[in-house]
């Protein structure tokens, strides 16, 4: 039973609660209702007879993935690409936001901000084609520039170098999303009390000093919250599109991540139960990372987890 005071609060905030109802319904319908499909991971799912009537197999598909010779390789690629994306994506977005904050010309600031976040709206299909063109051995800008400088004598097939794939895909992800992510940090910077900067000037702080002692501490809560969310989504950070579109047969050892593996060995082969098992595995890892990151973030925000 709810306390009388709780009922009064609910009545007083009824309009706010009513505004939240559509979003709560959306989450329930599209996030919780589909969890029924997780039953597929524990059954030999046959579309013709449905989930409930399919044969029960227990954790067979989980075991199959864990003993797969490529298990270590897939998890390694997913983790490494996710970590690189989170680290460099966050760092570059913070740096871009700090640089934009130091620009005094309003028109120039708005122009740079618009240009930097436009790639966010570009499809990965287009981005992958841009990278294949720029890194091409036949007239690619990178090869032509390196040969003109004298660093290399012959064109290098960059897209066939497996060990360089993580670097290429990280550059692509950072270039595509840095401007969009920087908007959040820039908004956090603009909310900092201007009197703190005036006090800093009185104390003799220059631009670097203001950034170090005022701006960065001021946006630290925002950085911590976004890092928690990014780390919780680490296994999805590498993404399906960049790995699938930029990868090829010569880079499979480094390009195949969990999303691509699920597509190739689950959906393409109509192994829906295996796909569901891989999805549950990914969700469990993300959940563990989320709670771990949330716990660690307490060291940076008021000494407790957010």
């Amino acid at each position: 039973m709810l306390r009388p005071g709780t009922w009064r609060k609910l009545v007083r905030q009824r309009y706010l609660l009513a505004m939240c109802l559509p979003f709560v319904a959306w989450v329930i319908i599209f996030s919780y209702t589909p969890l029924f499909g997780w039953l597929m991971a524990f059954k030999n799912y046959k579309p013709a007879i449905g989930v409930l009537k399919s044969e029960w197999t227990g954790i067979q598909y989980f075991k199959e993935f864990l003993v797969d010779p490529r298990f270590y390789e897939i998890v390694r690629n997913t983790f490494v690409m996710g970590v690189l994306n989170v680290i460099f994506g966050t760092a570059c977005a913070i740096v871009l936001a700090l640089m934009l904050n130091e620009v005094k010309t309003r028109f120039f600031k708005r122009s740079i901000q618009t240009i930097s976040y436009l790639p966010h709206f570009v499809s990965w299909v287009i981005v992958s084609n841009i990278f294949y063109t720029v890194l091409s051995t036949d007239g690619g800008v990178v090869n032509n520039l390196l040969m003109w400088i004298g660093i290399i004598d012959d064109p290098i097939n960059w897209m066939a170098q497996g060990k360089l794939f993580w670097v290429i895909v990280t550059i692509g992800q950072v270039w595509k999303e840095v401007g969009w992510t920087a908007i959040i940090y820039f908004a956090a910077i603009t909310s900092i009390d201007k009197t703190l900067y005036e006090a800093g000037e009185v104390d003799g702080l220059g631009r670097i000093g203001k950034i170090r002692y005022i701006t960065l501490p001021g946006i630290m809560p925002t950085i911590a919250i976004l890092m928690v969310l990014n780390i919780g989504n680490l296994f999805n950070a590498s993404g399906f599109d960049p790995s699938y579109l930029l990868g090829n047969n010569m880079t499979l050892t480094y390009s195949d991540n969990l999303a691509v593996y699920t597509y190739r060995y689950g959906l393409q082969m109509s192994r829906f139960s295996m796909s569901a098992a891989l999805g549950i595995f990914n969700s469990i890892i993300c959940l563990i990372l989320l709670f771990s990151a949330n716990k660690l973030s307490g060291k940076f925000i008021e000494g407790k987890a957010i």
Side-chain angles (χ1 to χ4, degrees):
M1 293 292 293
L2 294 176
R3 297 178 180 178
T6 304
W7 280 112
R8 284 196 296 270
K9 290 180 181 178
L10 291 177
V11 172
R12 192 162 54 246
Q13 299 178 0
R14 59 187 181 277
Y15 296 114
L16 293 175
L17 294 172
M19 292 173 61
C20 295
L21 285 178
F23 302 100
V24 173
W26 184 90
V27 171
I28 293 173
I29 294 172
F30 293 102
S31 298
Y32 288 99
T33 303
L35 291 179
F36 171 76
W38 276 15
L39 280 175
M40 292 167 50
F42 305 96
K43 294 194 170 190
N44 183 18
Y45 174 66
K46 302 292 184 184
I49 61 177
V51 176
L52 297 178
K53 294 183 179 180
S54 297
E55 179 187 359
W56 186 269
T57 58
I59 59 173
Q60 171 188 332
Y61 296 104
F62 293 94
K63 291 180 179 178
E64 186 176 333
F65 175 59
L66 293 175
V67 300
D68 191 313
R70 298 195 64 202
F71 169 77
Y72 166 76
E73 180 182 295
I74 297 298
V75 174
R76 178 203 64 185
N77 294 344
T78 307
F79 182 77
V80 172
M81 285 191 284
V83 168
L84 291 175
N85 183 32
V86 169
I87 292 176
F88 288 99
T90 301
C92 292
I94 293 173
V95 171
L96 178 59
L98 293 174
M99 292 173 66
L100 284 173
N101 186 56
E102 295 300 317
V103 176
K104 302 305 179 184
T105 306
R106 187 182 182 88
F107 173 78
F108 185 70
K109 179 187 294 187
R110 292 292 178 87
S111 300
I112 295 299
Q113 193 173 6
T114 302
I115 293 171
S116 65
Y117 71 64
L118 280 179
H120 171 78
F121 301 99
V122 178
S123 167
W124 263 109
V125 176
I126 298 175
V127 174
S128 62
N129 276 284
I130 292 174
F131 270 73
Y132 271 104
T133 302
V134 170
L135 300 175
S136 172
T137 57
D138 184 17
V141 174
V142 174
N143 279 314
N144 286 346
L145 179 62
L146 293 178
M147 287 190 294
W148 180 68
I149 297 175
I151 296 178
I152 60 176
D153 297 322
D154 299 307
I156 298 175
N157 189 0
W158 301 98
M159 302 306 294
Q161 307 293 321
K163 294 182 179 180
L164 294 177
F165 181 82
W166 293 345
V167 177
I168 293 172
V169 77
T170 301
I171 292 173
Q173 289 176 318
V174 171
W175 172 76
K176 190 174 185 299
E177 301 296 338
V178 65
W180 185 258
T181 309
I183 294 175
I184 302 174
Y185 296 113
F186 186 66
I189 291 173
T190 56
S191 67
I192 298 175
D193 190 354
K194 303 302 179 185
T195 58
L196 294 176
Y197 292 101
E198 295 173 1
E201 288 183 0
V202 173
D203 291 338
L205 291 179
R207 284 194 172 187
I208 302 299
K210 291 177 185 177
I211 292 173
R212 180 178 177 182
Y213 296 107
I214 300 175
T215 307
L216 285 176
I219 64 173
M220 190 56 67
T222 303
I223 295 174
I225 291 172
L226 291 181
M227 283 298 293
V228 169
L229 297 176
N230 289 333
I231 293 174
N233 200 41
L234 188 68
F235 262 48
N236 296 322
S238 57
F240 171 81
D241 292 339
S243 296
Y244 184 74
L245 294 171
L246 292 174
N248 53 66
N249 292 332
M250 291 175 285
T251 61
L252 287 179
T253 306
Y254 295 90
S255 64
D256 267 9
N257 60 9
L258 195 59
V260 176
Y261 183 87
T262 302
Y263 173 71
R264 284 182 175 156
Y265 296 94
L267 298 178
Q268 276 192 338
M269 300 174 67
S270 298
R271 303 181 67 195
F272 302 110
S273 296
M274 172 60 81
S275 299
L278 293 171
I280 293 176
F281 174 81
N282 183 43
S283 298
I284 291 173
I285 296 298
C286 288
L287 197 62
I288 293 172
L289 291 172
L290 177 63
F291 280 107
S292 301
N294 183 53
K295 199 69 177 177
L296 291 173
S297 69
K299 296 181 179 180
F300 302 98
I301 301 180
E302 298 180 358
K304 59 181 181 179
I306 60 175

